[in-house]
Amino acid sequence: MKFRYSGVNPSAPVAYCAFYAMHTLVEVLCVSADEASARAVSDRIRGMVAGLERELSRHLEGGPLNRINSSLEFEDAGDELFFCLELSEQFRDATAGYFDVAALSPSRERPSCIFSASGHRVKRVSGGILLDMGGFAKGYAAEKVRRLLEEEGIADALVNFGNSTVLGVGRHPLGDCWKVSPAADESVCLELRDSALSVSGVQAGGRRHIVDPIAMTCPSKGYGVVVTGKSALLCEMLSTALYAAPEEMQDSIMKGFPAYSAGHIKL
Amino acid sequence: MKDEKLIDRRSFLSRLGGIGLAGAALSAFPWMESCSPSRNDATSGAKVRLGIIGTGSRGRYLMSFLKDIPQASVVALCDIYGPNLELGAEMFPDARRYTEYRRLLEDRDVDAVVIATPLDRHFRMVMDALDSGRDVYCEKSMAYHIDECRQMYMKRKSTGRILFIGQQRLFDPKYHKAMESIVRGDFGPVVNVRNYWFRNADWRRPVPSPELERLINWRLYREYSRGLMTELACHQLQNGTWATGMLPVKVMGAGDIIYWKDGREVFDNVCVIYTFPNGVNMTFESVISNAHFGMGEQILCKDATIDLPGSRIFRETPPAKSGMEQLIAQIEKGVFSNSVFAGTSWNAETASADRGEAIMPEAEGDGTREILQAFCNSCITGKMPPRILEEAYYSSVLGILGDEAILQGKTLYMEEGFII
């Protein structure tokens, strides 16, 4: 993990940590007067995100999601994954099916899972279902980082999961919010004040990775979707759903989330 | 695998001048002393009188550098093809002209010769030049047959003269910078070496009269050349031995004439695999009917890919462009501004979009000037730079072995007799 503490500006000492997790670079900037405690918090964040990645990754052999994807029986999901899968199912309902952790599945059967609340067990409805928490994990992890920072008494921080999910906790040490602009359009400035943003679209090199689960295609649009609002998890879920959805569906999806804003940006 | 044939890193380095593993990084380029600023200063004011044997395109390319090297004085030119001799004379009008190289060697005003002739002529010309007491710079590949390469090497030792083979990459600062890091292990172990050279042209030169076909297009005929393996691969095959410190133990390959079926005898496409003692493979591929991938030399290490001619490093986990670091700089300066970084997910899988890091952006040239400067300095001081001839020898041997593996259709091994 990269860690850097800067007290160059005595009125705004900051600690920065960066590490690789969830197939991306995770960065956290904390406003903190104490280097030692900032380092300890950074270590906690890294450990927490790594643990969450083990829970939510479908690639980890023997991990809970890997076991569920490999079996047609009820499998023990553990508390965290069970909760995330249940929440994902609610999101799917709320987005007319465009946010779907089973979007990569060859099968169109939905719901994709059967939940057994007693014992937090889950099974797929068929072998044609593949569960992937890729559009969920970073936003969920960002929210857990927010809670951890609160526990540690850090009021101001900027949390960045791979540039696509950004959470502004409190405010910039020299301003009243955190101001973030898209890399492709500096003229757009998003102000985060205990709020988050999420961007979805084709990745660098034109790589399409978001699946429209209804049409079962990978859309490539001439724009990216940015969503801002209180929860990093909801921002990520919504930006994924809006990018996957046809344009005529986007407004109706957003009507269910009045506290959130969405727009198109250049990528 | 024939264990008795293994040439490991330690023995290879030992054979190449007695350095051990610990000295490998610092001694990766011992020949560079021959063109260091101090050596240039030491030879300033002195001149080596050069005769150029072969004033075709390559010869004239070398001459274009010699014009600007203070220690070089081109006093004689030789070519059996009149138009080339005329073109050479336009560059050095005061130089004496010869059409037979032995006459040039009889010219007592010539201290050293630069040989840029068809491959099959290298052996005889170099041997005669060394026997006549001349120092020699000869274009690569060294010779047509491995035994000839070996004889040339031994002749240099017995005469004590200077012999350079034109492996200019050995003097290219970009390659040095990259190889230094690779040998030091900065990018983890070497796991593969890729060399390729793709062109889309027939490799022919215009022939004013049919009887001159074989003279002018000598690269296309087996009597004079081994084609792609000696004209192109020889540039690149040193990369593997350089990066790994080992010699390959075996080579296999395939080649054919698939497109330019115009009477040529050498392959127009080849694919050759060299295997090192530790199992690492080095490939050379060349096709001259598709130019899309161009020329490439890549050292694949566990943690990074090093593009040698492009002089760039592509890390397995590329550093993300961090807008957060920009934000820290702003805070340090007391600035409250927007941070510009939001976008779609950065991830390692999109590394193909990563432009890599420049190794030595300020470097210019391909090492040709430096190797010619080093040759002139060596002629003046009489000091043969360490290891330079061994590097060239093995590069030539590997090219010949690759061609033989294709011709014979079998795996060939690096025999003890090939080791110098």
Side-chain angles (χ1 to χ4, degrees), chain B residues 51-55 78-81 98-105 112-139 142-143 148 152 155 163 165 215:
Chain B
I52 312 297
I53 302 175
T55 54
C78 175
D79 205 297
I80 59 173
Y81 184 50
Y98 298 93
T99 55
E100 214 288 305
Y101 81 92
R102 288 189 178 88
R103 299 288 84 76
L104 183 146
L105 293 179
V113 294
V114 172
I115 298 173
T117 59
L119 176 67
D120 68 308
R121 317 283 167 91
H122 288 180
F123 171 67
R124 193 66 265 153
M125 289 176 169
V126 169
M127 297 295 274
D128 287 347
L130 291 172
D131 276 335
S132 73
R134 290 346 193 282
D135 295 324
V136 179
Y137 178 103
C138 180
E139 262 307 322
M142 202 166 173
E148 292 174 342
M152 290 159 72
K155 177 66 76 177
L163 175 56
I165 305 298
L215 175 69

Side-chain angles (χ1 to χ4, degrees), chain A residues 2 4 6 8-9 12 16 20 23-25 27 29 138 158 160 162-164 166 172 174-175 177 179-183 186 199 201-203 207, chain B residues 317-325 327-350 352-353:
Chain A
K2 181 176 178 181
R4 180 180 160 203
S6 173
V8 172
N9 184 342
Y16 167 80
Y20 290 97
H23 306 290
T24 196
L25 183 70
E27 299 173 292
L29 182 80
K138 291 198 287 284
L158 190 63
N160 178 21
N163 299 341
S164 64
V166 184
H172 187 288
L174 306 169
C177 65
K179 296 199 284 193
V180 178
S181 294
E186 208 170 328
V199 177
V202 293
Q203 291 178 327
R207 180 172 175 260
Chain B
T317 309
K321 303 287 182 290
S322 175
M324 297 284 265
E325 292 182 359
L327 173 59
I328 294 169
Q330 289 172 350
I331 292 171
E332 287 175 340
K333 291 175 186 163
V335 173
F336 173 49
S337 183
N338 56 326
S339 305
V340 182
F341 60 82
T344 51
S345 300
W346 177 93
N347 68 31
E349 282 74 25
T350 57
S352 59

Side-chain angles (χ1 to χ4, degrees), chain B residues 216-338:
Chain B
I216 292 174
N217 283 313
W218 56 271
R219 289 174 189 78
L220 307 182
Y221 298 99
R222 281 260 159 214
E223 183 182 354
Y224 317 109
S225 172
R226 291 177 181 269
L228 300 172
M229 292 308 297
T230 47
E231 304 309 318
L232 298 184
C234 64
H235 288 270
Q236 301 183 320
L237 295 175
Q238 69 203 6
N239 292 332
T241 54
W242 207 358
T244 65
M246 292 183 273
L247 282 176
V249 289
K250 63 180 179 180
V251 53
M252 62 186 88
D256 210 330
I257 302 171
I258 55 166
Y259 185 82
W260 298 108
K261 300 181 182 186
D262 55 2
R264 72 185 59 203
E265 297 163 1
V266 298
F267 304 129
D268 66 1
N269 90 100
V270 296
C271 183
V272 186
I273 304 172
Y274 298 83
T275 304
F276 289 91
N278 60 356
V280 168
N281 288 319
M282 170 171 70
T283 54
F284 173 76
E285 275 187 282
S286 186
V287 170
I288 54 171
S289 46
N290 182 305
H292 177 70
F293 289 106
M295 191 266 282
E297 299 164 33
Q298 297 153 354
I299 310 294
L300 280 62
C301 299
K302 178 67 176 66
D303 300 327
T305 298
I306 297 84
D307 170 2
L308 292 169
S311 194
R312 299 191 83 78
I313 299 167
F314 298 87
R315 296 184 190 274
E316 286 293 285
T317 309
K321 303 287 182 290
S322 175
M324 297 284 265
E325 292 182 359
Q326 173 198 20
L327 173 59
I328 294 169
Q330 289 172 350
I331 292 171
E332 287 175 340
K333 291 175 186 163
V335 173
F336 173 49
S337 183
N338 56 326

